[in-house]
Structures are given as structure tokens and as C-alpha cells.
Amino acid sequence: MIHPAGYRVLQVGILHLFPLWLLVNLTYAQFRYSIPEELNRGEIVGNIAKDLGTDVAKLVAANLQVLSDSDSQYFSVNVNNGAILVNDRIDRELLCGQSVSCILNLKFAIENPVEVYRIEVEILDINDNSPRFQSEELTLKINELASPGARFLIPNAQDPDIGSNALQEYHLSPSENFALIVKKRADGSKFPELVLEKALDREQTAVHHLVLKAEDGGVPCRSSTMQITIIVLDANDNHPAFDQPSYNVQLKENAPKNSLVIKLNATDLDEGPNGEIEYFFSSHNSDALSNIFQLNSEIGEIRVLGNLDFEEISVYEIDIEARDKGSPIMEEHCSVIVHIIDVNDNTPEMTISAFSSSVPEDSPPGTVVAVITIKDKDHGDNGRVQCQVDKNLPFTVREDFEHQFSLITSDHLDRESVSEYHITITAKDMGNPPLSTVKVISVVVSDVNDNTPRFVEPVYEVFVEENNKAGELLCTVSATDPDLDQNSRLSYSILQNPKDDYGSTSHIYINSENGQVYLKFPLDYERINYFQFQIEVSDAGSPPLKNKTVVHVFVLDQNDNSPVVVFPVVGANSVAQCKIPRSTGPNVMVSKISAVDHDSGRNAWLSYNLLEATDPTLFSIVMRTGEIKTKRAIQDVDPTLHELLLLVKDSGEPCLSTSVTVMMTLEDKDLEVSQGVKDHSKKRNISSLTLYLIVCLIVISVISLIGLAALGIKIHKCENKNFPLCCRQSQKKAVVAGSKLHGTFQLHPSLCNTIIGVRVDCAGNIPSNRRVRTCFSPVSDISEFMFMRPPHVTASSSSPGILVPDPNFSIASNEVSSQNLPLLETKVKQDECH
């Protein structure tokens, strides 16, 4: 069996006609096989047993051996079946190179008899190698001035295969400038050449990339490529060229030194020194320009060298030359136009003219105080300015013309509130960021007599004791005027009151400069205990302004009156006569001492004392009422005449007293009848007096209760309506104000804001002399009843018995207290109720 890829040729060296003869005389036999290269190990080349026509068992018995002098390393024999096998890799190109024939020899030997067999194995070529160039890349340098038709040799490709599997042809990638020519030598090898068909232009195409492909004739064919890079060498045949003939650049005027203005970009299509460019200022530029800008000749950067100022020069035009380093030198020109951008680098300049440092406080809004001129050297928004002042001031800025403003008043001025203004005027441009200028001016507000003098107290209340010294200081009133100078110079005077019956103004005089009020004469509480007068204050302005106040003077009582006995009638020697019957029993009132004291308060509280008696065991006196009573029954042995020395004293400090002697005469029984009739009449009178006193007390109590109830209801309403605190506090402090009208108390509605009081006499009337008296029973220990009455409450002329506030009086509700309500007191003799 022969490998299907090859074929077999069987040659016999000695051929005999008879088989016996063949076996005896055969000494040599040769076989030939053909196989392709690169067979796998173990592939069958042929079968020697079949080719010899013998049995395999005989070959084994004949001890078949492979001789070592043959190419036995590539082949082996399987003695079991006679097959010749591939033992190692067979590479024809490695064994035989470019030789057309490639044969490997294999020798076998057998014994009994000894026979040698030679086998030739022809190795057939397969297309297992591609054409290969010595290098995969090739670089050629060709001057751009090379003439068309020039040829350039290219290294050929090598293919170790032979025949049709060897290199057959070359192919060149399409090119506008180059073509391929293949030359063939006598030995059959082929060499490619490049031919320049069209002139080169380095500036158009500096590098050409070509691909050369080599192919063999195998099936399938194999090929390889080589990259050909053609570098076109430059010649100085191009001028430098800028991107554009002129450049427009914007640059801020505050650009710092060494700031980049522009980087010029000139190009030269040449290369090497021919394409290297240098930049220069043109000779057309002024010398001053070189002090503002500098040019880097190598990289073409223009940078700031000096100071820029938009306000001086806003546009710079710079001529630039670009030169290459070729030979001859090529150059090109361009212009750079630098537009300086204005930045907000100038603060507004402010000038204040027509400035009035003093403005009258009665100046109407819109009065011009100053004229302001503002300039800014910048342009556009940077040069537009605004002017303003603090909005909290009564001033504003009005724009009159461009760059001219007026500082005017925007509201009414009041020197007493603010006498001087420090006005901050701010001029600000509209740049970004804005710049501003600030100036501060002082404007004094001049005074105008626009304030009325005001008293420190709206109403003055003065308490003065009677019996004062003439010329004694009564009080001091004080007023203030916030104006200045003569507008605040005050003078005081007392106004005459034509309705003043007492003539209080004649008792006083005032110091016009300091408001001190003096008394001309001593005061007598018993004659007048209250009076009022008005004081006027006036400034020295033009016209003068005035104001008034009321001074309420309350005269305080002193204990300057001794008690006066009014009953019984006392004679010139302070002796009173009284007769009583001897039949009088014990603890019987036989007489009563009644005395009055024109003083008031404690000074009028009287007490009665028995100092001496003819018989101290017979009579006694009640200290508070002055009733003289018997201690025991009168006896016949008692003397007819008894002398009682009585002392009546007040409670003042020091106390004043009056003594009286009562001569008590004891009458016999025959006089008792007539005397009894008189005594009975007197007792009836005394009983009537007591009854009247009790009735008066009951009426007063009922009226008081009704008034208190009505006041409580009024206070409750005040609380619900959130009335002033005085209404609520009046529950504890107030005393009923009103009078007895048809058996009830009436409260005037206007009295809610004040705490007032009134004294009511037995008839329910309000005395016109402001001394209100009441009556008590003879057994009462207190002989008077006191009410609180403010001086600003007077009796209504239209409604008698109703108290109304004085229209000239005003006082804050929180000033009303028990301290500033004078206490008016009096007392009454018990017999005045009859």
C-alpha cells in the first residue's frame, strides 16, 4: 500500500524467469516512494511486505532490520504488518533547500539468506511558505524636486518553496506619484523597482505610504506585504503664512504686566530651517509701542510690558513680520489690532458747591441744601454714576442734569428732635464691581420758635400750713422750652381771675425769671382752706408762645384755736349756772357741756374732764359727750350748792383747752313741780334732737350703701371694657361722689377716671364754701365724718348735688392716689342739726 498523496515506482535489479532461480540468486532490490513534506508522525509511506510479495511471517522469521547508514531517523518499519511509517517531521526546505529533487534513502536487511533492500522516498514540495521580505517596513527619502521617471530599487521577497509554489509576482498599492516595475534575472528571480511618475510636493504631501505585496503561485496562494514610507525632503519654496492677515484682540486696561495679549500662529509649509519662523516688530511701529508691548521672536507671543490706560489710548495697531530661516529668507506681514477694554478703575470725583451748612427747621420739603457735581473718567456703565444718601435721613438727592445733583430735604425738620445731621453722600458708578466715593457733610438745623413752653407738671398741688410768714416761698413752677436762645428764654406771670371772690392773687406774687411763688400774707385755714390760681409762661420768641397751668393750694390746719363752750351759757367770769332737784336719782344726766373748736381734724377732737368738785362722789362727766351725770342719788345732807370745775381740751399738738365752772344748785321739793315741767320740756327737746340725729345717720348710711353698690356696678363695667386701672382700684380707694337726690345717690359719668369724695350735710346739700359738715348722735364718740375731695372737682351749676370735674384740670390716671387728694375736714355742733 502506497500513501494516497504520492505514488510508487518498483524497480527490480535482477529479474529471473523462474521463481526458484529468483530465490537463490536474488541479492539486491530497490523501491521508491513519493510523499509530500510535513506528514504527521505515524503516517504510512508504504508496505514492504506487499511490495516484495511475501508473507509478513516470513519477514519476521528472516529478522528484518533497518540499516543505520540510511535516513532511518525519519522512518520506521512495523515488522508485524510490514508498514513503513513516518517517524519524524520532514521539512523539504530544510532538507533540500531550493533543489528541484529531494530524496531520502532507507535500507533494510534480512537473514537466511542475507538480502538487502533499498527504498528511496521522494519528498514532494507543498506550498507551506509565504514569500517574505527582509523587512516589513522600508523608508525612502526623496527630494521634492526629484524629476519624474526617477527609479528607486526595492529589496525583493524570498520564498523557500519551489516551482509554482515559489514567488511569482509583485503588486503595488495605488499611488498618484509612483508606479512598480519588476525585473527578472536569468536564474528566474524577480526584483521590484519604484518609478516616479509625477513630481512631488512636500507641502501638499510630505509623506507617502505605499504597500508592496509579493505572491506565490501555490493553491491557495500565499503572500506577504512590506510597508514603504516615502519621505519627501523639503526645499525652501514656501513663504510663512499667518492664519489671517489681521488679528483683533480685546485687552482689559488693568491687565497686569507680562499678561498674554495674543500668540501669533504663522506657518511655513517647508520643514527644517526652511519652516522655522521668527517674529519681529515691523519698522512701521512707533518707538513708544515697544514700551507697551514685547514680542517673543521664537514663539510669537505678544505680552504686556507697560501700563495700559483706556482713557489715554483705546486702540493699538501693531505690525508684525514673520521670517523663516531658509535660504533665501522668506517673510510675511500681519497686523494686530489691540482694543483696550475699559474697566472700572476710576472712582467718581465728587464736588460739592452752593452748600448751606444751616437750614431752618421750618424749611418745606424740597429745599436745596447743596449742589453736587460728580464726574467719572470711565466710559459706558463704568462712567454712569448714581448719587444717594441714607434713606433714614430727611434728605434725598435729586438729579438735575447729567453729572449734577441737588441735595434737598425730603421731610419736615425738627431741631428739637435732631439738631444736626451728618449726611453721608455716596457717589457710585454702575461698573462691575462698582466703585464709589463717599463724602460726609454736616447740616445744622437752625431754630425756629415752633414749640410752646411746657410746664414740668400739668397741675401743681401745694400744701401749706396756715399762719405762715409773710414772704414765705409757696412753691416753684418750672417750664421747659426745647427751642434755643431767646426762643427758649421764659418768663412767668400770674393771671388775674375776675371771679376770684377771695382775691387769692392778691395774696401771692411770682418771680418772673425762675417761677418761684411767694405768699404776701399769712393764711388762715378757718377763713379759707383752699384756693387756686393760674400761672402763664411765655417765651421771648417772635411771636411769643404761651402756656398756662393751675396751682391748687391746700391750706393745712394748725391747732391755733382753743375750744369754746357754747352751752350752757357762760358768763364773763367763765361760770355757768345749773339747777337740779334733790330728788334726782343715780346715773341721771343733769346737764351737758357743748363746746366747739374752729380747727379741723384732730385739732377739733374735744374731750371733757372734771377737774374739781365740791363732792367728787356726786357728779361725773362723760369724756367724749360732755354729759354731766349723777353718780348716786342726791341726799338731804348734801349741800345746796356744788361747784364743778370742768376742762375742755382738743387733741392737737400741743393741745389747747378751756376751763369752765358750773355751779350746780340743788332745789327743794316744792320747786320740783315747776322745775319738773321745765325738765320734761327739755327732755322732750333732747329726745327730739336724738331722734333727728338718728334719722340723719340712717339716711346717710342708706345713701352710702346705695352709692357704694352703684360704684361697684360701675367698676365691674369698667373692668369688662378694659378701663384704666384707676377704675378697678377705686373699689378700695374711692369714696362715693354724689349727693342725695330724691333719696338716691347719682354718679356723674365723667368721674370714672378720678377718685373723688364729698361731704354731705344733714340736708343732703353741698356747701358752697367747700366745708361739708355732718351730724352724729350725741352718744357717738366721733363728732365728724370725713370725705376725700380733689380740688379739680366742683359742683355742677346746672345740676345741683352732682359733682363734675374742673375743665381746667387734667391729671394722668396713674397719678391719682390717696397722697394727692387733700383731706377736707370739719366738725359740727350737735345742736346744729335742729
Side-chain angles (χ1 to χ4, degrees):
M1 179 178 181
I2 302 174
H3 195 276
Y7 56 93
R8 173 179 78 169
V9 177
L10 178 62
Q11 294 179 348
V12 180
I14 301 175
L15 184 60
H16 298 274
L17 295 176
F18 302 102
L20 181 61
W21 181 87
L22 174 64
L23 292 174
V24 175
N25 297 291
L26 181 63
T27 59
Y28 173 75
Q30 181 174 338
F31 300 93
R32 187 171 184 172
Y33 300 96
S34 296
I35 62 174
E37 62 178 330
E38 302 292 345
L39 284 179
N40 294 327
R41 179 178 297 180
E43 293 260 3
I44 298 174
V45 177
N47 193 305
I48 190 172
K50 290 182 180 181
D51 292 336
L52 291 177
T54 184
D55 189 7
V56 176
K58 293 181 179 181
L59 292 178
V60 174
N63 192 17
L64 178 65
Q65 296 180 2
V66 179
L67 300 180
S68 61
D69 61 343
S70 62
D71 297 320
S72 59
Q73 70 268 23
Y74 295 105
F75 304 100
S76 63
V77 178
N78 188 340
V79 295
N80 294 324
N81 55 16
I84 301 173
L85 304 176
V86 176
N87 191 44
D88 197 0
R89 175 177 177 268
I90 300 173
D91 186 354
R92 182 187 180 285
E93 288 77 25
L94 183 62
L95 295 174
C96 304
Q98 292 294 321
S99 176
V100 176
S101 175
C102 182
I103 296 175
L104 295 179
N105 296 312
L106 182 64
K107 293 180 180 180
F108 297 97
I110 59 175
E111 298 176 355
N112 299 319
V114 175
E115 295 181 358
V116 176
Y117 301 95
R118 180 178 178 181
I119 298 175
E120 293 182 352
V121 180
E122 181 181 11
I123 307 302
L124 303 177
D125 182 48
I126 63 173
N127 193 18
D128 59 343
N129 292 282
S130 299
R132 293 188 179 276
F133 293 97
Q134 294 180 357
S135 174
E136 293 182 355
E137 294 181 355
L138 174 65
T139 301
L140 298 178
K141 295 182 179 181
I142 304 175
N143 193 289
E144 66 174 327
L145 299 180
S147 301
R151 295 190 178 189
F152 305 95
L153 186 62
I154 298 176
N156 63 331
Q158 300 292 330
D159 191 339
D161 293 329
I162 61 173
S164 60
N165 293 330
L167 175 66
Q168 298 295 324
E169 57 185 3
Y170 292 94
H171 300 282
L172 183 65
S173 61
S175 173
E176 183 181 355
N177 299 90
F178 295 94
L180 180 66
I181 295 178
V182 179
K183 290 186 176 182
K184 187 174 183 181
R185 293 182 178 178
D187 58 359
S189 61
K190 299 176 179 179
F191 295 90
E193 289 184 352
L194 271 178
V195 179
L196 180 63
E197 292 187 339
K198 182 180 178 181
L200 299 175
D201 186 357
R202 195 204 65 81
E203 289 71 33
Q204 182 178 358
T205 306
V207 178
H208 294 264
H209 297 282
L210 303 176
V211 177
L212 180 62
K213 183 178 182 182
E215 292 182 349
D216 60 19
V219 178
C221 70
R222 289 177 173 268
S223 63
S224 63
T225 59
M226 180 175 62
Q227 301 291 332
I228 302 176
T229 301
I230 300 175
I231 299 175
V232 181
L233 301 179
D234 181 53
N236 195 20
D237 57 347
N238 291 281
H239 293 269
F242 289 96
D243 295 340
Q244 53 195 56
S246 63
Y247 297 87
N248 286 282
V249 181
Q250 291 184 339
L251 183 65
K252 292 184 178 181
E253 63 174 325
N254 63 344
K257 292 183 179 180
N258 202 38
S259 297
L260 179 64
V261 178
I262 189 174
K263 183 176 182 180
L264 298 174
N265 184 24
T267 58
D268 193 326
L269 299 178
D270 297 326
E271 64 177 2
N274 298 329
E276 295 178 2
I277 300 174
E278 292 181 317
Y279 302 88
F280 301 94
F281 282 129
S282 174
S283 59
H284 298 161
N285 297 322
S286 63
D287 295 336
L289 193 65
S290 60
N291 297 326
I292 303 298
F293 301 99
Q294 64 179 357
L295 175 63
N296 188 318
S297 60
E298 294 183 358
I299 60 178
E301 288 183 348
I302 300 177
R303 292 185 177 272
V304 177
L305 181 62
N307 296 322
L308 303 175
D309 192 351
F310 174 84
E311 287 70 34
E312 293 182 2
I313 301 177
S314 60
V315 177
Y316 292 91
E317 187 170 357
I318 309 171
D319 291 329
I320 304 296
E321 291 182 358
R323 304 172 190 168
D324 63 21
K325 297 181 179 180
S327 180
I329 295 174
M330 299 286 185
E331 65 180 28
E332 188 61 46
H333 299 266
C334 77
S335 61
V336 178
I337 301 174
V338 181
H339 298 272
I340 305 301
I341 300 176
D342 181 42
V343 296
N344 198 18
D345 59 344
N346 291 283
T347 57
E349 298 176 359
M350 185 189 309
T351 303
I352 299 177
S353 59
F355 170 56
S356 176
S357 60
S358 178
V359 180
E361 62 176 324
D362 61 348
S363 300
T367 301
V368 178
V369 179
V371 176
I372 306 168
T373 303
I374 303 174
K375 295 182 180 180
D376 195 320
K377 294 180 180 179
D378 295 323
H379 289 71
D381 289 341
N382 297 331
R384 271 194 292 273
V385 294
Q386 294 176 335
C387 186
Q388 59 188 7
V389 296
D390 191 352
K391 294 181 179 180
N392 296 327
L393 299 178
F395 297 91
T396 187
V397 175
R398 180 186 66 200
E399 184 173 4
D400 299 331
F401 309 102
E402 187 178 6
H403 304 301
Q404 181 173 322
F405 303 84
S406 293
L407 176 65
I408 61 175
T409 59
S410 61
D411 202 350
H412 294 283
L413 304 178
D414 186 7
R415 190 208 63 80
E416 288 71 35
S417 298
V418 181
S419 60
E420 184 178 3
Y421 291 93
H422 299 284
I423 304 174
T424 301
I425 304 175
T426 303
K428 182 173 65 175
D429 58 30
M430 301 179 68
N432 186 20
L435 298 179
S436 61
T437 298
V438 176
K439 280 192 176 182
V440 180
I441 62 174
S442 297
V443 176
V444 177
V445 181
S446 60
D447 185 48
V448 174
N449 192 23
D450 58 345
N451 288 280
T452 302
R454 289 189 177 184
F455 285 95
V456 176
E457 300 291 340
V459 175
Y460 290 85
E461 294 181 351
V462 181
F463 298 88
V464 58
E465 292 184 348
E466 63 175 333
N467 303 322
N468 57 283
K469 295 180 181 180
E472 183 178 332
L473 177 65
L474 176 63
C475 65
T476 300
V477 296
S478 177
T480 59
D481 192 329
D483 294 326
L484 284 180
D485 301 331
Q486 66 178 7
N487 295 330
S488 63
R489 193 175 296 116
L490 305 179
S491 61
Y492 302 88
S493 61
I494 297 176
L495 295 179
Q496 298 295 329
N497 186 5
K499 297 181 180 180
D500 186 7
D501 299 334
Y502 176 69
S504 58
T505 56
S506 62
H507 286 68
I508 56 177
Y509 66 93
I510 189 169
N511 187 323
S512 62
E513 294 183 357
N514 56 23
Q516 292 181 344
V517 182
Y518 297 91
L519 291 170
K520 293 181 180 180
F521 309 105
L523 299 175
D524 187 1
Y525 175 85
E526 288 71 34
R527 183 166 177 262
I528 182 171
N529 55 20
Y530 165 80
F531 65 92
Q532 68 178 21
F533 56 91
Q534 288 186 336
I535 296 179
E536 183 180 73
V537 62
S538 175
D539 59 27
S542 178
L545 299 178
K546 302 178 181 181
N547 201 356
K548 298 177 184 179
T549 189
V550 178
V551 179
H552 299 273
V553 179
F554 300 95
V555 182
L556 302 180
D557 182 45
Q558 286 187 335
N559 194 21
D560 59 345
N561 289 281
S562 299
V564 177
V565 177
V566 297
F567 181 84
V569 179
V570 179
N573 54 358
S574 298
V575 176
Q577 298 294 331
C578 184
K579 296 179 180 182
I580 60 173
R582 283 185 176 271
S583 60
T584 302
N587 198 26
V588 175
M589 184 182 72
V590 295
S591 183
K592 177 179 174 62
I593 302 298
S594 294
V596 295
D597 194 324
H598 296 292
D599 293 325
S600 184
R602 295 184 62 88
N603 297 330
W605 293 357
L606 301 181
S607 62
Y608 302 87
N609 297 282
L610 177 61
L611 296 181
E612 296 179 3
T614 303
D615 186 356
T617 63
L618 183 55
F619 296 100
S620 65
I621 190 169
V622 179
M623 184 179 63
R624 291 299 182 185
T625 63
E627 296 176 351
I628 301 175
K629 296 183 178 182
T630 58
K631 290 184 178 182
R632 59 178 174 80
I634 299 176
Q635 301 176 3
D636 293 338
V637 295
D638 291 328
T640 301
L641 184 63
H642 288 265
E643 181 180 349
L644 303 179
L645 179 60
L646 304 177
L647 179 67
V648 182
K649 64 178 180 179
D650 58 26
S651 299
E653 291 184 2
C655 66
L656 299 179
S657 62
T658 299
S659 62
V660 62
T661 301
V662 178
M663 302 301 295
M664 304 293 290
T665 303
L666 303 180
E667 296 183 346
D668 296 331
K669 292 182 179 180
D670 53 354
L671 298 176
E672 290 180 2
V673 176
S674 60
Q675 185 68 32
V677 174
K678 294 180 181 179
D679 291 344
H680 178 72
S681 176
K682 187 175 293 187
K683 288 181 179 180
R684 184 170 58 185
N685 293 336
I686 292 174
S687 299
S688 299
L689 174 62
T690 303
L691 179 60
Y692 280 119
L693 290 175
I694 292 174
V695 170
C696 290
L697 182 59
I698 292 174
V699 170
I700 291 173
S701 300
V702 171
I703 292 174
S704 299
L705 290 175
I706 294 174
L708 289 174
L711 182 60
I713 295 173
K714 191 72 173 181
I715 291 173
H716 181 69
K717 292 181 179 180
C718 291
E719 288 178 347
N720 292 337
K721 296 180 180 180
N722 293 326
F723 269 35
L725 183 62
C726 66
C727 290
R728 299 191 296 270
Q729 293 177 342
S730 64
Q731 295 178 4
K732 297 181 179 180
K733 298 182 178 179
V735 185
V736 177
S739 65
K740 178 182 178 185
L741 294 178
H742 303 289
T744 61
F745 259 107
Q746 294 186 359
L747 295 178
H748 197 280
S750 63
L751 298 181
C752 182
N753 288 333
T754 57
I755 304 174
I756 62 174
V758 66
R759 295 196 186 105
V760 183
D761 62 7
C762 297
N765 297 323
I766 299 176
S768 59
N769 63 355
R770 300 181 176 87
R771 299 187 65 185
V772 183
R773 299 187 178 186
T774 185
C775 299
F776 298 87
S777 69
V779 297
S780 173
D781 289 340
I782 299 176
S783 61
E784 57 188 346
F785 189 80
M786 293 176 294
F787 287 89
M788 305 294 290
R789 177 179 177 184
H792 54 280
V793 179
T794 61
S796 173
S797 59
S798 60
S799 301
I802 301 288
L803 291 184
V804 297
D806 191 337
N808 295 324
F809 182 86
S810 64
I811 186 167
S813 60
N814 59 355
E815 294 176 349
V816 178
S817 65
S818 60
Q819 283 79 11
N820 56 23
L821 294 177
L823 182 64
L824 301 183
E825 306 169 342
T826 188
K827 79 169 196 172
V828 65
K829 294 188 298 180
Q830 294 179 359
D831 57 343
E832 288 181 13
C833 295
H834 292 281

